[in-house]
Amino acid sequence: MPAIPITVAAVTELPLDYEDEHVHRVYDQIASHFSSTRYKPWPIIAKFLSEIPTGWVGLDSGTGNGKYLPLPLDRPSSIWTIGLDRSRNLLEIARTAGVQGGPREVVWGDVLGQGWRSGSFDYAISIATIHHLSTPERRTLAIQRLLECVSPSHGRVLVYVWAMQQDELSKRAIPAIGDPSSSRVEDPSPKTGVDVFVPWVLASQPQDKKQSEGHSRNLIAKKRAEESVQHDGVGTDAPSQVFNRYYHMFAEGELEELVVRAAQGLGLKVGSHNEGVSEGHTSGVAVVQNGWERSNYFVELRRWQN
Amino acid sequence: MVRLITHNLLACHVKGCTRNNFPLLFENVQIEIQESDFNPDFLRNFMPKLEWKALVDAARQLGDTSLPLEQPEMVDEEFLKALHHVLLEIHVMEGAMVCQNCKHVYPISNGIPNMLLAEHEIG
């Protein structure tokens, strides 16, 4: 059976309606299966959370199944991460994520919402979420919401998005992607990724065929799950279903550009505290690190204030 | 879950509702008490960031009067245990939170607050 390929998507409807159909509804339907493939924290995120001081409270914007809510495991209950997601079904899973420390705090909401006291969090993470927003303006706004919800003097932010630059295995799986001419022309940014549909297969074969067929059928989804666990269907007799999730795959440098645009929109200087102060700025955001890891771009930010 | 640690952070975000939009008031709530791990270091460090009056008022709304109206200068074990209970052991499972200013209702169902707004309500 051939792999189900990633296909180029065209965002033609109102962004919110589009995301409702191609993101929110999909996650609500695949929640349980999706969650079973997402349990292992990515190293840079685990490290980020392990360095958060005791007593801090943070937001996981787009928490999914809540796999980051119990971290750090070696200091249970020393920090509190509150999970926000648009998928109610994923939140039902997230509220009991992990085995330590009992139930989690989760909120049903939108990453573009502002249902918080401004600056009340000490840190915020947004992992594999902003790439589900279907316009550059909405992606910029999402970064702004993260910057606004954390403390203006010490807030830390970590963002992960899916990259056009895929790891080796994924390159084979998505040969059609990477052609810049297929990207959306109305995006004013010179660094523009591509809009795609990524299939999620709720498969259903007998146990003995799972290994061979499941591998190809779920090839794409499997690459997204860096942990590469077997996450085929659950062995029911129902026919398999394919759900296409909308993604904006980021080009190299696009995430940094988004951060700059978001920060400037809030009147924040982008640069180190010392540099900003020497130039007379009173508030800003420093890029602590950015890079590519396992088919994703990430950026870590810290807010500063004089 | 809606515990008071989360309630102390939530604010109304309806378009144009920027004043007196915190704290949200509980309405018709059902609560459950569930024990949770006591971490005094977390509490000591988190305390300065709390909106204290909002916490005390919310606790009283839920029938818990163990916290003093002013944050104490001397923090002892007994106080920290009371704070821990109020912040992390009282779960609001059903009901709603209502904005004092615009009266928007945020429902709570199965322990999960619904902070979603319709497109026209978003600022």
Side-chain angles (χ1 to χ4, degrees):
Chain A
M1 179 166 300
I4 295 174
I6 290 179
T7 51
V8 173
V11 182
T12 49
E13 301 150 58
L14 287 172
L16 187 70
D17 297 340
Y18 191 82
E19 291 158 18
D20 260 339
E21 181 177 352
H22 299 294
V23 180
H24 310 145
R25 273 166 51 186
V26 174
Y27 277 110
D28 265 339
Q29 291 180 85
I30 68 173
S32 163
H33 182 233
F34 174 83
S35 177
S36 68
T37 70
R38 299 288 191 279
Y39 59 84
K40 195 174 156 192
W42 293 352
I44 286 175
I45 305 162
K47 183 167 183 295
F48 175 86
L49 292 171
S50 75
E51 290 167 355
I52 297 291
T54 292
W56 281 24
V57 171
L59 175 68
D60 181 2
S61 189
T63 192
N65 68 349
K67 72 174 171 178
Y68 294 107
L69 302 183
L71 270 55
L73 295 178
D74 60 341
R75 279 188 295 144
S77 310
S78 63
I79 65 175
W80 272 90
T81 310
I82 294 172
L84 174 100
D85 206 276
R86 183 71 199 229
S87 165
R88 170 82 201 200
N89 290 351
L90 281 172
L91 286 180
E92 291 288 347
I93 297 165
R95 62 194 284 253
T96 56
V99 286
Q100 288 177 300
R104 309 294 160 199
E105 285 297 287
V106 299
V107 171
W108 192 13
D110 195 292
V111 299
L112 300 182
Q114 275 185 300
W116 320 101
R117 282 196 280 124
S118 181
S120 57
F121 290 102
D122 300 297
Y123 62 95
I125 61 174
S126 177
I127 311 304
T129 298
I130 287 172
H131 56 214
H132 286 313
L133 295 166
S134 60
T135 68
E137 293 75 22
R138 288 166 72 79
R139 294 188 285 271
T140 305
L141 187 59
I143 304 266
Q144 289 183 331
R145 293 298 187 240
L146 295 170
L147 290 171
E148 287 169 318
C149 80
V150 297
S151 158
S153 59
H154 66 257
R156 300 183 192 178
V157 174
L158 181 65
V159 180
Y160 261 71
V161 293
W162 204 23
M164 284 172 69
Q165 183 192 354
Q166 293 288 294
D167 61 29
E168 282 308 305
L169 212 46
S170 294
K171 271 180 189 162
R172 290 199 298 274
I174 46 169
I177 298 297
D179 171 12
S181 66
S182 62
S183 63
R184 298 175 57 225
V185 289
E186 67 266 37
D187 190 326
S189 162
K191 291 167 184 161
T192 306
V194 287
D195 293 325
V196 297
F197 282 132
V198 180
W200 185 273
V201 182
L202 278 182
S204 53
Q205 307 96 28
Q207 281 301 114
D208 56 6
K209 289 166 76 180
K210 268 179 77 172
Q211 289 301 328
S212 55
E213 282 196 10
H215 183 71
S216 58
R217 290 166 63 99
N218 270 346
L219 195 57
I220 308 304
K222 192 185 290 291
K223 300 315 150 293
R224 291 292 301 123
E226 77 294 336
E227 49 268 41
S228 288
V229 294
Q230 177 66 37
H231 56 77
D232 205 342
V234 288
T236 66
D237 290 322
S240 65
Q241 272 183 292
V242 179
F243 295 93
N244 276 319
R245 287 170 299 159
Y246 166 82
Y247 276 79
H248 177 79
M249 295 175 88
F250 277 68
E252 190 172 5
E254 190 180 359
L255 180 59
E256 289 72 27
E257 224 170 56
L258 210 58
V259 166
V260 169
R261 224 179 305 154
Q264 286 172 346
L266 296 173
L268 299 173
K269 160 78 181 173
V270 179
S272 72
H273 192 173
N274 288 342
E275 181 189 311
V277 170
S278 69
E279 291 174 18
H281 297 278
T282 55
S283 61
V285 55
V287 178
V288 177
Q289 59 165 340
N290 58 10
W292 178 92
E293 184 194 44
R294 301 185 185 186
S295 306
N296 288 269
Y297 291 118
F298 64 90
V299 61
E300 182 183 341
L301 308 168
R302 261 186 218 197
R303 288 199 58 176
W304 53 262
Q305 197 175 38
N306 251 6
Chain B
M1 301 295 175
V2 189
R3 279 176 270 189
L4 293 189
I5 186 173
T6 301
H7 174 264
N8 206 259
L9 299 161
L10 292 172
C12 182
H13 60 135
V14 168
K15 191 176 185 174
C17 185
T18 54
R19 290 202 308 203
N20 203 23
N21 61 340
F22 170 88
L24 303 172
L25 301 177
F26 286 115
E27 208 171 78
N28 302 322
V29 295
Q30 291 172 31
I31 61 171
E32 271 179 24
I33 306 297
Q34 287 182 39
E35 272 187 36
S36 101
D37 293 339
F38 176 59
N39 187 324
D41 290 335
F42 169 80
L43 296 167
R44 275 194 204 93
N45 294 343
F46 180 56
M47 263 180 64
K49 290 175 281 200
L50 277 165
E51 285 289 328
W52 189 256
K53 185 177 183 311
L55 179 68
V56 173
D57 288 348
R60 289 179 183 210
Q61 262 201 296
L62 301 180
D64 188 300
T65 57
S66 62
L67 294 181
L69 288 173
E70 301 288 331
Q71 221 179 80
E73 285 175 22
M74 288 291 290
V75 173
D76 59 16
E77 177 97 354
E78 189 190 356
F79 167 76
L80 286 175
K81 289 223 156 127
L83 178 59
H84 170 73
H85 178 73
V86 165
L87 274 181
L88 294 166
E89 295 189 326
I90 305 174
H91 296 251
V92 178
M93 301 303 293
E94 303 290 332
M97 292 175 291
V98 182
C99 175
Q100 312 174 55
N101 180 41
C102 76
K103 311 298 177 203
H104 187 88
V105 176
Y106 296 95
I108 300 166
S109 167
N110 199 25
I112 300 177
N114 179 356
M115 297 299 288
L116 285 171
L117 296 175
E119 184 88 319
H120 69 275
E121 296 169 324
I122 296 169

CSV table of all heavy atoms in Angstrom, one decimal, chain B residues 36-55:
chain,number,residue,atom,x,y,z
B,36,SER,N,-3.6,16.8,47.1
B,36,SER,CA,-2.5,16.9,46.2
B,36,SER,C,-1.2,17.1,46.9
B,36,SER,O,-1.2,17.5,48.1
B,36,SER,CB,-2.7,18.0,45.1
B,36,SER,OG,-2.1,19.2,45.4
B,37,ASP,N,0.0,16.8,46.3
B,37,ASP,CA,1.3,16.9,46.9
B,37,ASP,C,1.6,18.3,47.4
B,37,ASP,O,1.5,19.3,46.7
B,37,ASP,CB,2.4,16.5,45.9
B,37,ASP,CG,2.3,15.0,45.5
B,37,ASP,OD1,1.6,14.3,46.3
B,37,ASP,OD2,2.8,14.6,44.5
B,38,PHE,N,2.0,18.4,48.7
B,38,PHE,CA,2.3,19.6,49.4
B,38,PHE,C,3.7,20.0,49.0
B,38,PHE,O,4.7,19.3,49.3
B,38,PHE,CB,2.1,19.4,50.9
B,38,PHE,CG,2.5,20.6,51.7
B,38,PHE,CD1,1.8,21.9,51.5
B,38,PHE,CD2,3.4,20.5,52.7
B,38,PHE,CE1,2.2,23.0,52.3
B,38,PHE,CE2,3.7,21.6,53.5
B,38,PHE,CZ,3.1,22.9,53.3
B,39,ASN,N,3.9,21.2,48.4
B,39,ASN,CA,5.2,21.6,48.1
B,39,ASN,C,5.4,23.1,48.6
B,39,ASN,O,5.1,24.0,47.9
B,39,ASN,CB,5.5,21.6,46.6
B,39,ASN,CG,6.9,21.9,46.2
B,39,ASN,OD1,7.5,22.7,46.8
B,39,ASN,ND2,7.4,21.2,45.1
B,40,PRO,N,6.0,23.2,49.9
B,40,PRO,CA,6.1,24.5,50.5
B,40,PRO,C,6.9,25.5,49.7
B,40,PRO,O,6.7,26.7,49.7
B,40,PRO,CB,6.6,24.2,51.9
B,40,PRO,CG,7.1,22.8,51.8
B,40,PRO,CD,6.4,22.1,50.8
B,41,ASP,N,8.0,25.0,49.0
B,41,ASP,CA,8.9,25.9,48.3
B,41,ASP,C,8.1,26.5,47.1
B,41,ASP,O,8.3,27.7,46.8
B,41,ASP,CB,10.1,25.1,47.7
B,41,ASP,CG,11.0,24.7,48.8
B,41,ASP,OD1,11.0,25.4,49.9
B,41,ASP,OD2,11.7,23.7,48.7
B,42,PHE,N,7.3,25.7,46.4
B,42,PHE,CA,6.5,26.3,45.4
B,42,PHE,C,5.6,27.4,45.9
B,42,PHE,O,5.5,28.5,45.3
B,42,PHE,CB,5.6,25.2,44.7
B,42,PHE,CG,4.5,25.8,43.8
B,42,PHE,CD1,4.9,26.1,42.5
B,42,PHE,CD2,3.2,26.0,44.3
B,42,PHE,CE1,3.9,26.7,41.7
B,42,PHE,CE2,2.3,26.6,43.4
B,42,PHE,CZ,2.7,27.0,42.1
B,43,LEU,N,4.9,27.1,47.0
B,43,LEU,CA,4.0,28.1,47.6
B,43,LEU,C,4.7,29.4,48.0
B,43,LEU,O,4.2,30.5,47.7
B,43,LEU,CB,3.3,27.5,48.8
B,43,LEU,CG,2.4,26.3,48.4
B,43,LEU,CD1,2.0,25.6,49.7
B,43,LEU,CD2,1.1,26.7,47.7
B,44,ARG,N,5.8,29.3,48.7
B,44,ARG,CA,6.6,30.5,49.1
B,44,ARG,C,6.9,31.3,47.9
B,44,ARG,O,6.8,32.5,48.0
B,44,ARG,CB,7.8,30.0,49.8
B,44,ARG,CG,7.6,29.8,51.3
B,44,ARG,CD,8.9,29.7,52.1
B,44,ARG,NE,8.7,28.9,53.3
B,44,ARG,CZ,8.9,27.6,53.3
B,44,ARG,NH1,9.5,26.9,52.3
B,44,ARG,NH2,8.7,26.9,54.4
B,45,ASN,N,7.4,30.7,46.8
B,45,ASN,CA,7.9,31.5,45.7
B,45,ASN,C,6.7,32.0,44.9
B,45,ASN,O,6.8,33.0,44.2
B,45,ASN,CB,8.8,30.6,44.8
B,45,ASN,CG,10.1,30.3,45.5
B,45,ASN,OD1,10.5,30.9,46.5
B,45,ASN,ND2,10.8,29.3,45.0
B,46,PHE,N,5.6,31.3,44.9
B,46,PHE,CA,4.5,31.7,44.1
B,46,PHE,C,3.6,32.8,44.7
B,46,PHE,O,3.0,33.6,44.1
B,46,PHE,CB,3.6,30.5,43.8
B,46,PHE,CG,2.4,30.8,42.9
B,46,PHE,CD1,2.5,31.4,41.7
B,46,PHE,CD2,1.1,30.4,43.4
B,46,PHE,CE1,1.4,31.7,40.9
B,46,PHE,CE2,0.0,30.7,42.6
B,46,PHE,CZ,0.1,31.3,41.4
B,47,MET,N,3.7,32.8,46.1
B,47,MET,CA,2.8,33.7,46.8
B,47,MET,C,2.9,35.2,46.4
B,47,MET,O,1.8,35.8,46.2
B,47,MET,CB,3.2,33.7,48.3
B,47,MET,CG,2.3,32.8,49.1
B,47,MET,SD,2.9,32.8,50.9
B,47,MET,CE,2.6,34.5,51.3
B,48,PRO,N,4.1,35.8,46.1
B,48,PRO,CA,4.1,37.2,45.8
B,48,PRO,C,3.4,37.5,44.5
B,48,PRO,O,3.0,38.6,44.2
B,48,PRO,CB,5.6,37.5,45.6
B,48,PRO,CG,6.3,36.3,46.3
B,48,PRO,CD,5.4,35.2,46.3
B,49,LYS,N,3.2,36.5,43.6
B,49,LYS,CA,2.6,36.7,42.3
B,49,LYS,C,1.1,36.6,42.4
B,49,LYS,O,0.4,36.9,41.4
B,49,LYS,CB,3.2,35.8,41.3
B,49,LYS,CG,4.6,36.1,41.0
B,49,LYS,CD,5.3,35.1,40.1
B,49,LYS,CE,5.7,33.9,40.8
B,49,LYS,NZ,6.7,33.1,40.1
B,50,LEU,N,0.6,36.1,43.5
B,50,LEU,CA,-0.9,36.0,43.6
B,50,LEU,C,-1.6,37.3,43.7
B,50,LEU,O,-1.1,38.2,44.3
B,50,LEU,CB,-1.2,35.1,44.9
B,50,LEU,CG,-1.1,33.6,44.7
B,50,LEU,CD1,-1.1,33.0,46.1
B,50,LEU,CD2,-2.3,33.1,43.9
B,51,GLU,N,-2.8,37.4,43.2
B,51,GLU,CA,-3.7,38.5,43.5
B,51,GLU,C,-4.4,38.0,44.8
B,51,GLU,O,-5.4,37.3,44.7
B,51,GLU,CB,-4.7,38.7,42.3
B,51,GLU,CG,-4.0,39.4,41.2
B,51,GLU,CD,-3.7,40.9,41.5
B,51,GLU,OE1,-4.4,41.5,42.3
B,51,GLU,OE2,-2.7,41.4,40.9
B,52,TRP,N,-3.9,38.5,45.9
B,52,TRP,CA,-4.4,37.9,47.2
B,52,TRP,C,-5.8,38.1,47.5
B,52,TRP,O,-6.5,37.2,47.8
B,52,TRP,CB,-3.5,38.5,48.3
B,52,TRP,CG,-3.8,37.8,49.6
B,52,TRP,CD1,-4.5,38.2,50.7
B,52,TRP,CD2,-3.3,36.4,49.9
B,52,TRP,NE1,-4.5,37.2,51.6
B,52,TRP,CE2,-3.8,36.1,51.2
B,52,TRP,CE3,-2.5,35.5,49.2
B,52,TRP,CZ2,-3.6,34.9,51.8
B,52,TRP,CZ3,-2.3,34.3,49.8
B,52,TRP,CH2,-2.8,34.0,51.1
B,53,LYS,N,-6.3,39.3,47.3
B,53,LYS,CA,-7.7,39.5,47.6
B,53,LYS,C,-8.6,38.7,46.7
B,53,LYS,O,-9.6,38.1,47.2
B,53,LYS,CB,-8.1,41.0,47.4
B,53,LYS,CG,-9.5,41.4,47.8
B,53,LYS,CD,-9.8,42.8,47.7
B,53,LYS,CE,-11.2,43.2,48.2
B,53,LYS,NZ,-12.2,42.3,47.7
B,54,ALA,N,-8.3,38.5,45.5
B,54,ALA,CA,-9.1,37.7,44.6
B,54,ALA,C,-9.1,36.3,45.0
B,54,ALA,O,-10.1,35.6,45.0
B,54,ALA,CB,-8.5,37.8,43.1
B,55,LEU,N,-8.0,35.8,45.5
B,55,LEU,CA,-7.9,34.4,46.0
B,55,LEU,C,-8.7,34.2,47.3
B,55,LEU,O,-9.5,33.3,47.4
B,55,LEU,CB,-6.4,34.1,46.3
B,55,LEU,CG,-6.2,32.7,46.9
B,55,LEU,CD1,-6.5,31.6,45.8
B,55,LEU,CD2,-4.8,32.5,47.4
